Amino acid sequence: MSVAPRGRNTARSLKIHFVHAHPLGTTSASPASEIHLYRQRLRVTDLDYLGHVGNVRLLDYFQEAQVAMLDPRRERVFQTKGPTYLIAKHNVSYLRRLTFRDNPVEVETVVGRIGGCDVVVNSRLRDEKAVYARCRTIWVACTLPEGGTRRLDEQERERLARFTGAIGEIS
């Protein structure tokens, strides 16, 4: 699927990768050539006592989308031994209340920076009308069980490089 980037008049096309969540279950100035898109269905159990999706659940949505981009086959993220990724830092900006709806929300994710052993990932949670939250996460490549950092290999760099860029601002 190719669409023009939001907020920019450019001839360059934009590839979007769709990843669907189980139904129950920015450092770069240039626009990303590909945006990882993760669709998340809201669950009634995600609501807090005020009737909107709680902040902890929003963070879960970001993490699920980022894991789907970083490790699509789940070969490294959930390992107890060998190469994996750990979260070093989350920075979340909650912009609007997200209330229950039948249609899924989308988490758009791009890579802001690829370092020697870390990756800065930028995401935003949105629907067709608004952005509800933004998240910047630093993932560190490491080896378990010792927990020491490791350098990203070429295969990881290639996979992540296609998502490098910025997400255009929308309100």
Side-chain angles (χ1 to χ4, degrees):
M1 173 180 187
S2 293
V3 296
R6 289 188 176 90
R8 299 193 188 272
N9 294 328
T10 156
R12 190 166 79 166
S13 67
L14 180 70
K15 287 185 182 176
I16 297 178
H17 293 265
F18 291 95
V19 178
H20 298 280
H22 189 281
L24 303 174
T26 322
T27 54
S28 179
S30 61
S33 58
E34 294 186 45
I35 294 175
H36 187 271
L37 185 66
Y38 185 86
R39 288 192 171 149
Q40 175 68 48
R41 284 206 168 276
L42 303 183
R43 300 167 294 237
V44 174
T45 57
D46 293 345
L47 302 177
D48 62 15
Y49 70 96
L50 297 173
H52 65 277
V53 178
N55 292 350
V56 172
R57 291 293 177 226
L58 291 178
L59 186 56
D60 286 345
Y61 298 168
F62 284 125
Q63 286 180 174
E64 289 175 23
Q66 292 175 7
V67 165
M69 184 189 73
L70 281 171
D71 193 13
R73 294 187 195 137
R74 306 294 200 268
E75 295 170 336
R76 295 189 173 184
V77 172
F78 300 112
Q79 298 298 318
T80 56
K81 261 185 151 178
T84 189
Y85 304 99
L86 296 176
I87 295 173
K89 183 178 183 178
H90 277 303
N91 184 358
V92 181
S93 298
Y94 300 99
L95 306 173
R96 290 183 175 81
R97 286 176 39 143
L98 178 60
T99 55
F100 187 78
R101 77 261 333 274
D102 288 329
N103 295 330
V105 291
E106 298 173 344
V107 179
E108 296 174 324
T109 303
V110 297
V111 173
R113 183 182 61 80
I114 302 172
C117 65
D118 65 332
V119 180
V120 177
V121 177
N122 299 312
S123 301
R124 68 179 175 190
L125 185 123
R126 61 179 295 278
D127 63 11
E128 63 280 350
K129 297 177 186 173
V131 174
Y132 295 92
R134 288 191 179 88
C135 180
R136 173 173 286 162
T137 305
I138 300 173
W139 288 83
V140 177
C142 66
T143 305
L144 293 177
E146 9 352 288
T149 59
R150 65 175 176 81
R151 300 203 52 83
L152 294 166
D153 63 35
E154 285 306 311
Q155 183 181 7
E156 291 170 307
R157 289 178 179 285
E158 280 180 28
R159 189 181 69 251
L160 296 171
R162 70 179 199 228
F163 298 109
T164 301
I167 300 175
E169 295 297 317
I170 64 171
S171 55

